[in-house]
Amino acid sequence: MKQLLTGLFALGLSFTVWAVNPQVELETIHGRIVIELDSEAAPISVKNFLYYVDSGYYDATIFHRVIPGFMVQGGGFHSNGETKQGTKSPIVNEANNGLSNLRGTIAMARTSNPDSATAQFFINHQDNPFLDQTSSSAGYAVFGKVIKGMDIVDTIAQVTTKTNGMYRDWPSKPVYLYKAYNLTQ
């Protein structure tokens, strides 16, 4: 074996160790969604999202905003519909990372303040390039993409919605996110 390695190095060949992008599985009432995170393009958003996954924050929550042909949003409400408390400080917006809000990508949800994202996220149901950073818009930071279970996102996007107090596009029947798993631990 030693001779083989010595021979390969003598030929100028080298071995590169490829880093594996973190993956998260979302176990929902409709099935499982696997998301690959892009630590290189969005290190702050990925670290933030993994904090909430690893702490169990997303367990027993719901997708609370569903707009077919646009996106599905979660991470902000308990399974009983009450606002989820206990978020960390907001993170800086990484929308300038070169990733686009295309079908199947996951991005940080935020308020009108570009640097206000905490735990809420959304999965784009279609290409939404108008959510990308431009000279006139801070944009929404994409930090990963669905690699398995886009059919589950399609199912979620088709649920019937209603107005729930001040919230529009609220699913009439809860779309439970039972548990989020960090598959790369």
Side-chain angles (χ1 to χ4, degrees):
M1 181 68 160
K2 183 178 177 184
Q3 292 172 334
L4 176 63
L5 289 175
T6 303
L8 289 173
F9 286 118
L11 292 172
L13 300 176
S14 65
F15 296 96
T16 303
V17 176
W18 296 98
V20 175
N21 286 327
Q23 293 182 1
V24 168
E25 181 176 295
L26 305 178
E27 181 184 342
T28 78
I29 191 170
H30 296 290
R32 297 173 188 269
I33 302 166
V34 178
I35 300 164
E36 182 177 59
L37 307 177
D38 192 331
S39 298
E40 187 174 326
I44 296 167
S45 299
V46 168
K47 182 178 178 185
N48 179 70
F49 186 71
L50 287 174
Y51 166 82
Y52 288 110
V53 169
D54 294 340
S55 70
Y57 186 88
Y58 293 129
D59 300 353
T61 60
I62 58 172
F63 283 91
H64 64 275
R65 187 172 177 221
V66 173
I67 305 173
F70 181 42
M71 60 89 207
V72 300
Q73 183 173 336
F77 292 84
H78 288 281
S79 57
N80 63 7
E82 293 181 13
T83 303
K84 182 105 179 177
Q85 302 296 319
T87 57
K88 302 186 318 174
S89 297
I91 60 172
V92 66
N93 186 347
E94 293 181 295
N96 64 345
N97 63 19
L99 301 177
S100 183
N101 282 276
L102 302 176
R103 175 174 163 79
T105 57
I106 185 170
M108 295 305 303
R110 61 173 178 78
T111 66
S112 58
N113 175 353
D115 298 323
S116 62
T118 56
Q120 291 192 37
F121 62 90
F122 62 91
I123 300 172
N124 286 289
H125 188 231
Q126 73 173 22
D127 291 352
N128 295 309
F130 67 92
L131 296 176
D132 296 345
Q133 184 185 50
T134 65
S135 59
S136 60
S137 171
Y140 292 79
V142 171
F143 62 96
K145 64 184 176 187
V146 173
I147 59 170
K148 183 179 178 188
M150 196 59 199
D151 58 325
I152 305 304
V153 176
D154 291 337
T155 299
I156 294 170
Q158 298 308 314
V159 302
T160 305
T161 60
K162 64 181 182 178
T163 299
N164 181 23
M166 63 185 257
Y167 302 104
R168 296 183 340 200
D169 310 306
W170 188 277
S172 298
K173 293 181 181 175
V175 178
Y176 297 112
L177 170 50
Y178 297 125
K179 187 156 182 63
Y181 301 92
N182 184 341
L183 299 177
T184 49
Q185 282 190 328

